[in-house]
Amino acid sequence: MTGRRLSSLLASVTAAAAGASILTGCGVLPGATGGSREPVTVMTWAPDQTRATNMPGMPAMAQTYARWVNSQGGIDGHELRVLTCNEQNTPAGAAACARRAVRENAVAVVGSYSQNGRAFMAPLEAAGIPYIGGYGLTDDEFTSHLSYPVNGGLAALIAGHGMQLAESCRRVSLVRPDTLAGDRLPKLLDAGLKKASRRGAVDIPAVEDATEYTEQAASAREEAGTEDGCVAAVLGERTQTFFDSFRRLPKATGGAQAADDEDDTAESVRISSVLGSVGQPVIDRTGGARSPFEGAYVTGWYPEADDKSWEPMRKVIQEHAFADNRVDPTDTGVQTTWIAYTVLKEVIESLDRDTITSARIAEALDRGAQVDTGGLTPKLRWMYEDLLGAPDFPRIVNHAVTFQVVRKGRLVAQKPGFVDVGPTVSHGG
């Protein structure tokens, strides 16, 4: 072998080694194979270590999903690269995450959580980056032409919760955040209650990040009354704080035990909430079957956590989360992220292209790419005729919810299957 050929071979080997080092530094997982197709970069953001609601499980689930799919050869031959970002529960943090997604050429933001839609959607829209399967908190997620929600958001939960409570509650108190987003909740809850000719709920605004809620708890219990009264609290992570204050009230009771108590003098106020404010992790942390949430009514977007439809997700978490306790399969944020990445995977596979761009993903979704989530939602599609078209939530395509109840420390189905709340959301919006 001539010296020139040897030098050329050594240069090639060195370049290949350097390339492998660069890829490893970017987070490529051992065993990941993308074939000749280009990698696909996406971002997932959520707040972490803040005073308000935190969702660390969502970025952690995104990373778990990437490890799994890359161990299978990627998505249709494309290695999946996931960027994560702490949104910090602030407009500045959300905007910074969105700008980073643009700067690092993400083709989509997937399965993320933010209350600051106006701050993050503008940079994404300017760059043409679709927002797939956000948690569903902000108006922008249901109005932006580049948002593709997988659930009906907080609007569907609250409207559905009104329908759920209307079946059992004569009077309802609603404790909700004293914010612009919170101001909309009473009208949505009332729309659900009025489906059964129930009177509207008593509206009790509360500071979102308070350390105790004794005053609001006392008002809520008094307004609900003791005869088939219900107290609904929707305060995100502070919901647990509210019900701690509620159960400390003199003679207060915190769940179905009150209705079943043999003591006729016991109060029969039931408590309720929606998934995201109350979920299985919170119930487990607060005592399981002895939790103050025992007997509570809860409205969710998806089947209960023990439903067999979640088995594929559970298997991926078991094999690829590596004991990361942030990735809790019963957490609604983790579940939403799984569904959002299911959408991404099916859309990329439908494109069958060597190069995936944000424009191609958005175009595929707009032209009718349909996603089967294995029973976790109705089939999802975002064509014009699939949109709910509610005045304030035009981008909703999934207006199904589930009615659940806490029994023996577990969230279980109160009634089987999905409940369509589309007409109620339209009326309440």
Side-chain angles (χ1 to χ4, degrees):
M1 180 179 291
T2 66
R4 178 176 297 177
R5 291 179 61 192
L6 179 61
S7 298
S8 176
L9 177 60
L10 288 173
S12 299
V13 171
T14 302
S21 176
I22 291 170
L23 289 176
T24 303
C26 290
V28 177
L29 301 162
T33 58
S36 61
R37 295 192 155 181
E38 292 187 3
V40 171
T41 299
V42 299
M43 177 177 278
T44 298
W45 62 54
D48 191 15
Q49 298 181 339
T50 73
R51 292 183 60 192
T53 299
N54 296 297
M55 285 285 177
M58 298 181 75
M61 180 70 237
Q63 293 169 323
T64 299
Y65 191 96
R67 282 192 287 269
W68 166 64
V69 82
N70 288 335
S71 75
Q72 307 295 311
I75 301 177
D76 198 29
H78 298 273
E79 172 208 331
L80 178 63
R81 296 178 172 180
V82 172
L83 308 173
T84 62
C85 190
N86 183 356
E87 183 267 357
Q88 300 177 351
N89 264 325
T90 65
C97 287
R99 288 194 299 269
R100 182 180 162 215
V102 174
R103 187 170 62 250
E104 301 203 31
N105 299 314
V107 300
V109 173
V110 187
S112 296
Y113 181 105
S114 177
Q115 301 184 52
N116 303 290
R118 191 168 302 175
F120 70 74
M121 276 310 310
L124 296 185
E125 287 178 344
I129 297 175
Y131 187 71
I132 300 173
Y135 192 81
L137 292 176
T138 70
D139 291 353
D140 301 79
E141 294 173 66
F142 299 102
T143 56
S144 172
H145 67 284
L146 277 173
S147 179
Y148 302 89
V150 299
N151 58 47
L154 192 56
L157 287 183
I158 299 300
H161 199 51
M163 294 171 62
Q164 184 179 19
L165 296 183
E167 298 178 359
S168 304
C169 308
R170 291 185 62 186
R171 296 172 63 187
V172 177
S173 297
L174 171 65
V175 184
R176 49 83 175 180
D178 190 7
T179 62
L180 288 175
D183 289 344
R184 179 171 284 165
L185 304 188
K187 186 178 179 183
L188 287 161
L189 188 75
D190 288 352
L193 289 169
K194 290 172 182 176
K195 289 280 288 185
S197 301
R198 296 291 189 187
R199 62 186 289 184
V202 176
D203 180 24
I204 302 176
V207 176
E208 192 173 23
D209 59 355
T211 56
E212 60 88 26
Y213 293 96
T214 303
E215 181 181 344
Q216 293 83 0
S219 296
R221 188 181 68 175
E222 180 180 355
E223 295 292 349
T226 58
E227 186 177 348
D228 295 326
C230 292
V231 172
V234 183
L235 293 165
E237 280 195 356
R238 297 294 175 169
T239 302
Q240 179 181 336
T241 304
F242 170 82
F243 282 121
D244 283 343
S245 297
F246 183 83
R247 68 187 176 89
R248 289 190 174 96
L249 293 174
K251 298 183 180 179
T253 56
Q257 301 98 322
D260 298 332
D261 200 308
E262 294 180 358
D263 183 357
D264 291 337
T265 64
E267 297 176 277
S268 58
V269 180
R270 296 198 63 153
I271 64 174
S272 70
S273 191
V274 298
L275 282 180
S277 287
V278 171
Q280 193 61 53
V282 173
I283 296 164
D284 293 341
R285 285 198 306 269
T286 55
R290 296 182 177 273
S291 164
F293 298 105
E294 182 69 18
Y297 298 122
V298 180
T299 305
W301 291 307
Y302 316 126
E304 65 274 18
D306 293 334
D307 189 277
K308 64 181 180 180
S309 301
W310 294 111
E311 280 306 310
M313 181 190 73
R314 288 180 175 278
K315 187 172 187 293
V316 167
I317 291 173
Q318 182 179 5
E319 295 178 359
H320 297 276
F322 303 142
D324 186 341
N325 59 14
R326 295 174 300 168
V327 190
D328 186 335
T330 68
D331 178 76
T332 312
V334 168
Q335 294 172 349
T336 299
T337 303
W338 169 264
I339 293 170
Y341 273 90
T342 300
V343 173
L344 178 75
K345 182 175 184 289
E346 293 203 17
V347 171
I348 290 175
E349 289 173 344
S350 74
L351 289 171
D352 190 23
R353 296 290 192 98
D354 289 343
T355 301
I356 303 297
T357 65
S358 56
R360 283 174 176 163
I361 290 176
E363 182 180 23
L365 289 165
D366 292 339
R367 290 193 172 184
Q370 183 168 279
V371 178
D372 185 341
T373 63
L376 299 175
T377 68
K379 287 186 178 179
L380 301 173
R381 197 177 67 166
W382 293 267
M383 292 185 71
Y384 179 80
E385 55 265 34
D386 303 307
L387 305 179
L388 179 61
D392 294 321
F393 314 101
R395 296 286 294 178
I396 290 179
V397 296
N398 173 13
H399 32 90
V401 299
T402 56
F403 291 169
Q404 302 176 34
V405 65
V406 183
R407 291 190 182 129
K408 298 181 179 179
R410 299 296 298 174
L411 269 167
V412 298
Q414 184 188 18
K415 62 168 54 178
F418 293 108
V419 178
D420 183 5
V421 300
T424 308
V425 171
S426 296
H427 181 69

